Amino acid sequence: MRTHTRGAPTVFFLTLLCPTLTQALIEPDPSGGISFMGGNYNGHPMLYFNKEDVEHLQSVAASTHRDIARRIREAGETMMEHHQEYLPPWSPAEFSARWNEVYGNNLGVLSMFCLLYPHRAGALDFAKEYMERMAAQPSWLVRDAPWDEVPVAHSLVGFATAYDFLYEYLNKDQQERFLQVIGNVSRLMYDKSYVRGWGFQYLHNHQPTNCVALLTGSLVYMIQGYLQESYLWTKQVLSIMEKSMILLRDVTDGSLYEGVAYGTYTTRSLFQYMFLVQRHLSIGHFNHPWLLKHFAFMYRTILPGFRRTVAIADSNYNWFYGPESQLVFLDRYVLRNGSGNWLAEQIHQNRVVDGPGQAGRGQRWCTLHTEFIWYDPDLIPKPPSDFGTPKLHFFEDWGVVTYGSALPVDTNSSFMSFKSGKLGGRAIFNMVHKNKYKEWIQGWKNFNAGHEHPDQNSFTFAPNGVPFITEALYGPKYTLLNNVVLFGPTHSGSCFKPWAGQVTEACDSKWLKYKMGLAADAQGTVEAAMERQGMVFIRGEGRSAYNPDMKIRNFQRNLLLLHPQLLLLVDHIHLDPDSPVSAMSAFFHNTELPFHDTKADGVNGAFVSHGKDQYKMFWMDETGYSNRGMAGFWNYPRGYPYNGSNYMNVTMPLRYPNTRAAYIFFGPGVDVQSFSLSGNDQRVDIYLSTKDHSYTVYLLTSEVTNKSLFSMVLMDQKKIVFEKGAAMMDSPPNEVEEYVNVMEDNLQHVKPVFQQMERHILNRVLNTASFRKTAERLLQFSDKKKTGEVIEKMFAMSRKQGNVKAGKKLNLVENLPDIFAQIEVTERKQRQRTPKIGYEDIPEEMDADSQAFIDYSEGHINRKGGLVRGRQYKEVNMVATAGSEGLALTGSYIRLFLLLNTGTFFMLLAILLSRFHGGRNIHTQRWFYFLLLMDCLILLYLFSSCSHTQC
């Protein structure tokens, strides 16, 4: 018996441990494997790597990283060869004459080029001149956009990064002057963070862009000993960005509502933020649920051929920044499976070098240095397991469906997308309308949906990977510039009377309407998205995107991909009895290829030519009516990056109560021979025959029906059913628990790092001639009346420490006052006194409530007391400690008097009860009552003072 049971305890404990070990292996490391510096720096560089790492970086540039290094070298050589084109101008008027982010964007890769190839003749001199020219500018703002700090942020992050990388190569004068520039610009950004939208409009691309610039400048300023200011700047960045990180948890699909192009603008800086706060502050976000899903947003939105992406919202043809840098970041710190490296490799290999889709001049190099830093060559490029097979993907927060993404270019490698979602995405829309995160969110003023389009129920189609029906890219926010429908006639306010588009369209602004009125509630819904036996069915409802005065009960759009090159689209319009509208006008776009009219068997249509191939479309309603369409080109006004878009406009009459219009789109591999449809109140039947197949489609459009299906397709003798049981179910996430405390816990990471920096700085200059100067720098923004006293104390302690015997060193810093607390208190009071003045300077943002964004306290002050119990810290005191020796002594004296008076009170009370009980000597008894009353008043005063000074 003993023989068989001897190992039982071991087996038992192994059984208990295995699930734990397995879970530990599966769950991503919140630190991403990035080492925490802990305030222990050895000079520059320090932002992304240490001085000791430079030699290793130079080594891998010739081996594992040689491809990225080659691109960095090509960028540097190109800038040096065409120096007149790439060097910033000396003239301030010329520098500020146009959008100038290119100068900051190129400086990061230029400094990396110099670091990897320090012996390249002229490279360092070129970089120094580049920085001298930028430092000579009185302002980095654009003259015609003085309210926009985004170009300043690009300049600051590039300049501060170059300062960090090249510090050892700068002379003493350059080190001091360039640091002064970084300090001045960071101070500007810090001040503007309280009055500009990027300080409180969350999940918008401006916010991480500007915040990372301020954080980068702050970290560089910190290591130079300016701890108090950089402490405030860092706390402000975290108070903004940590809120965004919490709100981003509600975005369950990994998407960004501004679309793929602007999404890369956001992640370019967001990923830098995640890296920097982990490295320097030990705040880990690498197990963030949004981050775990973000690869799908990159992978499932790419058209076949890896050159273009879904262009929903303001967009170019693909990505504004990167995305190779973002993809290698995801692979190294999140995925760890080679998929990110593989996709980055595919995108780079298929890059458009010249023509539509090529990278912008100001953005093409700006992420090369982070791509080099983050690339992990140990992760062998490996495609996702389903690569090569077209897949359906639904972004439930974004309201977007894609099919056939990231395929090689080939016949029948087709792509389709559909958009019908809530304004700003489900997460933001619910925060606004369901009063979520009410401590931070006060309606649409905390978000910016200006880059979205009036595009609910829009779609695209690229048979064989050829863009046939496309988005109209970055243009005016008109409904007719999206692949959707207008209704008419209408007498309500609209941009193109008598036609009315979606309520969010803007007639006289470059940005979408979203803040108030009907626009604030606009939304569409994806009701179904499913794939069955190689066919795809998608249904969306868009009535809530239109003015309710039009009395449209349903605007239902159905898409059926019957064959990789054959798409059927059916619009079902159900009108109320008193609806004023009598016609619909549908638009279809192609940004490159013009539409031409065509006709077959009395059915009107159009086509575009791509090489020798023609891609065609035809349309009719259920009565057989097929009106001739109108082809044209819509010119964009000046100020947009594109000239305009080719379109085909199809107008059809509406009947009460139902109207169905059907459109077919097909590529050269499909020969449609007949097309007809008929319908009744509950369904519409479409008949299609091609050279190879015949299709009968039964589409149920009625809301009330006893059928448990959306549609049924008969292809020859084959039946495909799209059942209602697979309809989309909306399950939005709950509000993050204790979200205020979660943010406050992360803010607590800042002070220990800065205190450790203080120790290093003082210990480094201990007993040296520069000690007093260093102390003055540390206390630069403390109370001027007390600064002299504190410096004298520090200096005296320094000399005392120098005189003690070895092995008995005094702890200098432990005996010093908290140099950060007083500046926090002072700054908080200053911000509370002056927010109104700041907003008067910016009339367009007067509606913002700046009081909601003052975050100087160590934590969130609750109404019941001065303590908040958080997740990571058992107890966090909410009142800042005194910031000088004088305040500390005051607290000690108050504490002493409080103890003495408490003792006196109880002594008098005991005498009164024991000696004068029974009413004897009433006169003396009254005097004791008077003394007790006075002592009570003194105790109240002392308690109040003690609470104020945190004694």
Side-chain angles (χ1 to χ4, degrees):
M1 186 71 178
R2 273 198 302 270
T3 305
H4 294 288
T5 59
R6 186 176 296 168
T10 306
V11 173
F12 175 74
F13 283 112
L14 284 174
T15 305
L16 288 177
L17 282 172
C18 278
T20 307
L21 293 171
T22 304
Q23 187 70 13
L25 290 171
I26 293 173
E27 288 185 359
D29 180 3
S31 73
I34 299 168
S35 299
F36 171 45
M37 296 301 295
N40 301 304
Y41 301 102
N42 186 28
H44 294 280
M46 47 72 72
L47 283 173
Y48 295 92
F49 47 83
N50 300 328
K51 187 187 304 183
E52 298 77 20
D53 299 324
V54 173
E55 187 175 343
H56 172 71
L57 293 175
Q58 293 169 345
S59 172
V60 298
S63 56
T64 57
H65 291 54
R66 58 182 174 273
D67 181 64
I68 307 172
R70 174 184 56 78
R71 286 182 272 147
I72 291 173
R73 182 152 197 166
E74 287 174 358
E77 297 288 355
T78 301
M79 282 188 265
M80 292 178 65
E81 183 179 351
H82 304 280
H83 58 92
Q84 292 298 332
E85 181 181 352
Y86 288 99
L87 278 173
W90 285 107
S91 165
E94 190 178 346
F95 185 90
S96 63
R98 63 186 63 85
W99 192 263
N100 53 33
E101 71 171 77
V102 61
Y103 302 125
N105 286 349
N106 286 344
L107 190 49
V109 68
L110 177 61
S111 59
M112 179 59 86
F113 168 61
C114 294
L115 198 70
L116 296 179
Y117 306 103
H119 303 298
R120 167 59 170 93
L124 283 167
D125 290 336
F126 180 79
K128 290 177 187 179
E129 182 181 351
Y130 198 117
M131 296 181 74
E132 288 283 7
R133 289 175 176 237
M134 291 193 70
Q137 305 303 319
S139 171
W140 289 341
L141 288 164
V142 174
R143 183 176 60 237
D144 294 334
W147 58 84
D148 194 346
E149 287 79 40
V150 168
V152 178
H154 286 269
S155 294
L156 176 58
V157 76
F159 194 87
T161 301
Y163 183 88
D164 180 60
F165 287 4
L166 304 181
Y167 182 82
E168 296 296 330
Y169 299 103
L170 303 176
N171 61 43
K172 189 69 175 176
D173 176 64
Q174 288 172 328
Q175 290 173 354
E176 293 179 357
R177 283 190 297 107
F178 293 170
L179 181 65
Q180 186 177 8
V181 170
I182 292 169
N184 291 339
V185 179
S186 298
R187 198 171 297 114
L188 168 73
M189 297 295 288
Y190 171 71
D191 289 337
K192 295 302 182 184
S193 71
Y194 286 93
V195 296
R196 296 289 201 244
W198 58 269
F200 53 84
Q201 290 179 335
Y202 302 105
L203 310 184
H204 182 256
N205 68 87
H206 286 193
Q207 190 171 77
T209 300
N210 292 357
C211 283
V212 160
L214 177 55
L215 179 62
T216 306
S218 174
L219 291 171
V220 169
Y221 217 50
M222 173 193 72
I223 198 175
Q224 291 297 322
Y226 294 95
L227 296 187
Q228 286 184 310
E229 265 198 301
S230 56
Y231 174 75
L232 291 180
W233 300 344
T234 303
K235 285 286 290 289
Q236 175 65 352
V237 169
L238 262 65
S239 71
I240 295 170
M241 289 301 299
E242 288 305 310
K243 290 174 187 172
S244 280
M245 296 306 299
I246 290 171
L247 299 180
L248 200 56
R249 288 178 174 271
D250 276 24
V251 182
T252 56
D253 58 10
S255 69
L256 289 165
Y257 73 99
E258 292 185 292
V260 176
Y262 266 105
T264 60
Y265 202 157
T266 296
T267 54
R268 171 211 176 200
S269 298
L270 184 63
F271 288 178
Q272 289 181 57
Y273 173 81
M274 291 181 181
F275 181 92
L276 292 173
V277 296
Q278 171 56 45
R279 175 174 166 83
H280 299 285
L281 301 171
S282 189
I283 299 174
H285 289 299
F286 294 98
N287 60 350
H288 194 290
W290 173 87
L291 194 63
L292 301 178
K293 294 286 189 73
H294 187 64
F295 179 76
F297 185 65
M298 308 292 288
Y299 179 62
R300 301 295 183 187
T301 54
I302 302 176
L303 271 66
F306 300 92
R307 292 189 164 198
R308 298 193 179 195
T309 66
V310 166
I312 292 168
D314 281 341
S315 178
N316 60 358
Y317 289 94
N318 38 53
W319 310 272
F320 283 149
Y321 297 89
E324 295 94 332
S325 172
Q326 293 93 317
L327 287 165
V328 300
F329 175 94
L330 285 173
D331 213 349
R332 178 169 184 172
Y333 301 118
V334 183
L335 302 174
R336 304 295 303 167
N337 59 13
S339 294
N341 286 355
W342 171 81
L343 187 54
E345 189 178 83
Q346 295 300 311
I347 289 170
H348 176 66
Q349 291 174 356
N350 291 280
R351 275 282 188 186
V352 176
V353 178
D354 189 26
Q358 66 178 327
R361 175 177 170 271
Q363 296 85 31
R364 57 184 169 181
W365 296 326
C366 73
T367 58
L368 278 175
H369 63 294
T370 51
E371 183 183 353
F372 185 90
I373 294 166
W374 292 333
Y375 175 67
D376 185 350
D378 293 332
L379 298 171
I380 307 302
K382 179 182 178 183
S385 58
D386 62 4
F387 172 67
T389 304
K391 291 292 183 181
L392 186 73
H393 190 85
F394 176 45
F395 295 95
E396 69 274 9
D397 189 274
W398 195 18
V400 171
V401 182
T402 64
Y403 178 78
S405 61
L407 295 170
V409 174
D410 198 1
T411 302
N412 293 335
S413 291
S414 299
F415 179 86
M416 176 177 67
S417 72
F418 180 74
K419 160 78 183 297
S420 194
K422 295 180 176 180
L423 180 64
R426 182 183 67 185
I428 289 176
F429 192 88
N430 288 350
M431 289 175 204
V432 171
H433 289 80
K434 296 185 178 181
N435 201 27
K436 297 180 72 176
Y437 303 99
K438 59 184 178 182
E439 293 285 339
W440 302 336
I441 305 303
Q442 299 176 14
W444 278 114
K445 68 175 66 177
N446 291 112
F447 301 102
N448 188 339
H451 283 300
E452 285 201 63
H453 287 192
D455 59 359
Q456 308 307 337
N457 274 10
S458 65
F459 79 106
T460 68
F461 184 44
N464 301 334
V466 175
F468 180 14
I469 305 299
T470 74
E471 288 98 350
L473 306 181
Y474 200 141
K477 307 305 181 285
Y478 300 148
T479 306
L480 57 79
L481 292 179
N482 296 275
N483 302 313
V484 288
V485 172
L486 288 79
F487 296 97
T490 179
H491 302 292
S492 60
S494 60
C495 300
F496 303 100
K497 290 183 179 178
W499 297 102
Q502 298 184 6
V503 292
T504 51
E505 74 174 2
C507 308
D508 53 2
S509 172
K510 195 175 180 180
W511 315 117
L512 188 80
K513 209 162 43 171
Y514 69 93
K515 291 183 179 180
M516 59 189 69
L518 295 172
D521 302 324
Q523 60 179 305
T525 307
V526 175
E527 296 184 337
M530 59 191 82
E531 180 184 7
R532 298 289 183 270
Q533 301 181 48
M535 292 186 184
V536 176
F537 174 76
I538 302 171
R539 171 175 289 180
E541 175 55 61
R543 68 178 180 275
S544 296
Y546 293 85
N547 194 316
D549 291 344
M550 291 193 287
K551 305 294 179 66
I552 300 171
R553 186 177 299 178
N554 290 107
F555 167 35
Q556 181 191 102
R557 175 159 276 188
N558 301 272
L559 283 79
L560 262 164
L561 187 66
L562 302 171
H563 177 276
Q565 296 189 49
L566 176 59
L567 174 66
L568 168 67
L569 184 151
V570 180
D571 284 336
H572 163 71
I573 315 298
H574 187 167
L575 301 177
D576 285 334
D578 53 347
S579 173
V581 303
S582 59
M584 60 180 285
S585 185
F587 280 81
F588 307 92
H589 287 268
N590 191 303
T591 49
E592 293 180 67
L593 306 174
F595 289 94
H596 304 280
D597 291 323
T598 188
K599 195 171 186 178
D601 298 329
V603 181
N604 281 292
F607 69 90
V608 299
S609 295
H610 183 265
K612 297 180 180 180
D613 296 325
Q614 289 188 347
Y615 292 80
K616 299 178 181 180
M617 62 178 291
F618 291 92
W619 55 83
M620 70 168 63
D621 66 14
E622 75 255 52
T623 68
Y625 176 75
S626 178
N627 189 26
R628 183 182 178 184
M630 183 174 68
F633 183 85
W634 192 278
N635 286 291
Y636 291 172
R638 186 178 179 182
Y640 289 95
Y642 300 99
N643 294 325
S645 176
N646 301 287
Y647 67 86
M648 173 56 65
N649 176 214
V650 179
T651 301
M652 290 190 181
L654 294 177
R655 292 168 298 280
Y656 172 79
N658 296 319
T659 303
R660 284 68 170 256
Y663 311 80
I664 55 171
F665 309 84
F666 53 95
V670 172
D671 181 14
V672 175
Q673 297 177 338
S674 67
F675 167 44
S676 63
L677 67 155
S678 62
N680 56 36
D681 288 345
Q682 293 197 353
R683 79 179 201 208
V684 59
D685 302 337
I686 302 99
Y687 309 97
L688 273 169
S689 65
T690 68
K691 184 179 179 181
D692 301 314
H693 301 285
S694 63
Y695 301 89
T696 302
V697 178
Y698 302 105
L699 183 65
L700 283 78
T701 58
S702 174
E703 295 178 0
V704 181
T705 176
N706 56 1
K707 301 293 184 181
S708 60
L709 51 87
F710 289 113
S711 179
M712 181 171 67
V713 179
L714 301 178
M715 184 183 74
D716 302 329
Q717 304 302 314
K718 188 177 180 182
K719 181 170 74 172
I720 299 97
V721 176
F722 298 96
E723 67 282 0
K724 282 189 175 179
M728 294 300 173
M729 302 297 292
D730 189 26
S731 302
N734 296 323
E735 183 179 87
V736 174
E737 292 182 5
E738 300 182 34
Y739 61 91
V740 174
N741 290 341
V742 173
M743 184 201 74
E744 297 296 346
D745 286 349
N746 282 340
L747 289 182
Q748 302 301 324
H749 289 233
V750 180
K751 183 177 282 190
V753 171
F754 278 78
Q755 289 174 329
Q756 180 70 2
M757 277 295 300
E758 181 189 8
R759 295 185 187 95
H760 280 298
I761 290 170
L762 290 177
N763 289 330
R764 191 168 62 239
V765 298
L766 195 63
N767 302 316
T768 67
S770 62
F771 184 88
R772 182 182 293 273
K773 182 179 179 181
T774 302
E776 289 174 350
R777 178 181 290 188
L778 288 174
L779 296 165
Q780 183 179 8
F781 290 91
S782 292
D783 186 350
K784 301 301 180 186
K785 296 179 182 179
K786 303 293 183 181
T787 299
E789 299 175 19
V790 176
I791 291 174
E792 286 302 324
K793 180 183 177 184
M794 294 169 74
F795 195 62
M797 292 181 66
S798 168
R799 286 179 297 183
K800 185 176 180 181
Q801 181 160 337
N803 294 329
V804 299
K805 295 180 180 180
K808 295 184 179 181
K809 273 197 171 183
L810 302 171
N811 193 332
L812 172 64
V813 180
E814 292 300 330
N815 293 283
L816 293 178
D818 185 345
I819 69 171
F820 306 108
Q822 186 183 8
I823 190 174
E824 279 196 291
V825 173
T826 304
E827 185 72 2
R828 188 190 315 119
K829 291 177 179 177
Q830 179 68 20
R831 292 292 168 187
Q832 289 172 342
R833 282 198 302 267
T834 60
K836 187 176 181 181
I837 296 173
Y839 280 99
E840 287 172 353
D841 293 337
I842 312 140
E844 69 271 17
E845 294 189 9
M846 279 291 288
D847 60 336
D849 183 5
S850 65
Q851 290 290 346
F853 313 102
I854 296 173
D855 286 292
Y856 276 101
S857 60
E858 287 291 312
H860 180 71
I861 301 175
N862 66 15
R863 295 175 182 174
K864 294 184 178 179
L867 299 175
V868 168
R869 299 187 184 279
R871 292 168 177 260
Q872 298 175 21
Y873 298 87
K874 292 182 179 178
E875 196 170 271
V876 179
N877 208 306
M878 310 316 297
V879 183
T881 56
S884 68
E885 181 189 11
L887 287 175
L889 289 173
T890 301
S892 299
Y893 284 130
I894 291 172
R895 184 165 57 248
L896 176 62
F897 282 121
L898 181 62
L899 292 172
L900 289 174
N901 273 272
T902 303
T904 303
F905 175 82
F906 283 108
M907 183 185 70
L908 289 172
L909 185 63
I911 292 172
L912 184 66
L913 293 174
S914 61
R915 300 292 299 272
F916 299 100
H917 185 69
R920 293 179 300 170
N921 202 339
I922 191 68
H923 183 72
T924 307
Q925 193 172 352
R926 284 176 180 172
W927 271 105
F928 267 96
Y929 277 123
F930 176 75
L931 289 174
L932 276 174
L933 178 62
M934 293 301 297
D935 201 51
C936 281
L937 294 175
I938 293 170
L939 279 173
L940 287 173
Y941 173 77
L942 289 172
F943 272 119
S944 175
S945 300
C946 191
S947 175
H948 180 71
T949 59
Q950 197 189 352
C951 69

